[in-house]
Each structure stands twice: as structure tokens, then as C-alpha cells.
Amino acid sequence: MTNIEHKLYIDTVIRRVETARLKVSGHHIVKIVAVSKYSTAQDIESLYSIGQRAFGENKVQDLKSKSIELDEYPLEWHFIGNLQKNKINNLLDIDPTLFQALDSLELAYELQKKLAAKDMTLDCLMQINSAKEESKHGFMPQDAKESYLTMIEKCPNIKLKGVMSIGAHSEDKETIKKSFETTYSIYKELPNATICSMGMSDDFEMAIECGSNMVRLGSIMFK
Ligand SMILES: *Cc1c(COP(=O)(O)O)cnc(C)c1O
């Protein structure tokens, strides 16, 4: 694609986000995080040149190399992948804008320790396994609220901003929708939560209509 074709193509994605958010309300603002995990630094540069600022990666090593390579640009980096305990310090060295996949109390306690040692804080989202799938990480819906409150109490260096979830792995739209509704209903119950991150390339419109205000778009943004 030429630059102009790319811009026109991205405009169609943005228009789809617009249409979905306006169905909720004119005041419902949705942020697009471009998930660059399958893309190169050059692809990111090209999206930056047409206005995209927030990017997401799911491997600490990739986040590190791309953020170093693109250091000259004012980008916002989101870490959206499963974080192994032995990679926590590497992630903290990068100091991302938002860690979206805080998926267990055990990880939270370890993260808290390392944050306190470095005298820093980190904005995080609690990942919810809303469809209770074996293949997915995250807190079970029935434990989510209590665990969120526990983390607020016991992990002062973790600044919880809301929730993240991946839609149910299903062909059935109702099943996917139900998983988004589960996440949204938990989000509404949490104190001071402002970010509900759900929706990917294949299901972002439905996620927005269920209340998502942050979509993580990979394949559709980097065509
Ligand atoms: C890869 C990934 C995405 C983006 O997926 P697409 O279907 O390519 O839009 C979003 N969220 C998470 C957690 C991911 O790992």
C-alpha cells in the first residue's frame, strides 16, 4: 500500500470505531491501541506518521527492542502479554505506559516487591478470564472484585486503572457478547476504574457496544 492508501484504509477502521462508540453515546470515547506484535518498527513508524500514538506488545523482549529502536518518537507503550516473574525487572526498565495483563495475586505481590525496590509505580489493568477458559490467563469473574480490592490494599505501587479481557474463543456471537458483558459488569463495580480494555480485530465493534473504552487492534491496523 502507498502512504495515501494506508491512511484511507486506517480511516475506515477509525470510522468503524466511531460508528460503534456513537451507538453507546457521543460522550463514550474509545482509545485505539495498535498491537504491533506481528509488525516491524518500520510498520509502527508508518502508523505513527498518520497519527497513531499508542502501541501494544506481548513479549517483553520485543517491547524492549522496538521501544529502543523508536526512542525518538513520543510513543505510548502498552504491555498486553503474560508476564513471567523473571521478566518483571526487564519490563520495569522499559517503564511502559500501561501493563494490561495483571493476571494473578501471586504476580501482583511479586510486582509490588520489585516496584517498591525501585521506588516506582506502574499503571495496570486486571486481566479477567471472563469466559473461564482453560487456555486463557486472568482472574475468574467470581474472584475479580475481591482480588482487585486486595491489590489496592496490599500493592500500593500498583496503580490499578481497570480491567482487560479477551473475548470468548467462540464462533457464536452471543457467547462472545456474554463474555464482554461479564467483564463490563465487573468493571462497573470497581472503585476508580476508568479503563475497560476489550475488543480485538474480529470483535471490537461488539466490545465497544458492550462498554469497552479501549480496543487492542493488531491484524486490522497492520494490513
Ligand atoms: C494479539 C493480541 C491482540 C490483537 O489481536 P488481533 O486479533 O490481531 O487484533 C489484542 N490483545 C491481546 C492480548 C493480544 O495478544
Side-chain angles (χ1 to χ4, degrees):
M1 271 198 259
T2 64
N3 254 350
I4 290 177
E5 282 168 347
H6 189 216
K7 172 124 184 20
L8 288 174
Y9 169 73
I10 293 298
D11 282 351
T12 66
V13 177
I14 292 171
R15 203 161 300 130
R16 285 173 63 187
V17 170
E18 274 300 288
T19 304
R21 78 164 186 95
L22 289 172
K23 280 189 195 165
V24 180
S25 136
H27 302 288
H28 186 71
I29 306 301
V30 175
K31 176 160 181 156
I32 299 175
V33 175
V35 176
S36 47
K37 64 188 183 197
Y38 302 126
S39 310
T40 62
Q42 211 174 9
D43 298 330
I44 295 172
E45 242 175 330
S46 132
L47 264 190
Y48 170 83
S49 74
I50 57 174
Q52 181 66 31
R53 293 293 176 269
F55 293 89
E57 288 286 334
N58 71 341
K59 295 208 173 71
V60 174
Q61 189 49 45
D62 294 345
L63 177 61
K64 184 175 176 178
S65 59
K66 288 177 192 170
S67 63
I68 290 173
E69 196 172 346
L70 296 163
D71 190 34
E72 62 188 296
Y73 299 111
L75 302 181
E76 195 179 284
W77 289 104
H78 294 235
F79 188 66
I80 61 170
N82 176 243
L83 179 62
Q84 289 162 293
K85 283 195 214 149
N86 61 358
K87 300 278 169 62
I88 293 177
N89 278 328
N90 293 350
L91 182 71
L92 297 186
D93 289 342
I94 304 163
D95 194 15
T97 301
L98 185 64
F99 170 41
Q100 297 208 13
L102 184 50
D103 59 8
S104 71
L105 283 178
E106 205 187 346
L107 178 64
Y109 294 145
E110 202 60 32
L111 183 57
Q112 167 58 31
K113 247 193 263 173
K114 305 236 149 104
L115 283 166
K118 289 176 184 285
D119 192 25
M120 63 188 279
T121 61
L122 182 65
D123 287 357
C124 296
L125 301 182
M126 164 192 255
Q127 182 173 356
I128 299 174
N129 186 352
S130 53
K132 305 188 183 183
E133 291 159 311
E134 290 252 348
S135 58
K136 284 199 184 112
H137 294 277
F139 289 86
M140 287 295 155
Q142 66 273 19
D143 305 328
K145 184 175 181 186
E146 193 188 337
S147 300
Y148 198 91
L149 298 176
T150 301
M151 289 192 280
I152 290 176
E153 188 193 331
K154 303 222 166 121
C155 307
N157 297 58
I158 292 176
K159 300 298 175 194
L160 282 171
K161 300 291 174 191
V163 300
M164 184 275 264
S165 188
I166 299 172
H169 183 74
S170 168
E171 297 293 314
D172 177 41
K173 280 203 155 70
E174 275 310 308
T175 306
I176 302 171
K177 189 167 178 215
K178 207 170 274 168
S179 70
F180 289 145
E181 287 168 347
T182 298
T183 303
Y184 185 74
S185 68
I186 294 166
Y187 164 70
K188 289 311 283 176
E189 295 243 310
L190 302 176
N192 304 317
T194 55
I195 301 176
C196 180
S197 172
M198 51 186 197
M200 306 177 16
S201 293
D202 288 335
D203 55 21
F204 67 93
E205 285 146 313
M206 186 195 275
I208 292 169
E209 285 168 39
C210 292
S212 165
N213 59 16
M214 181 175 282
V215 290
R216 307 176 310 272
L217 305 182
S219 40
I220 204 174
M221 293 295 277
F222 289 96
K223 262 202 181 120

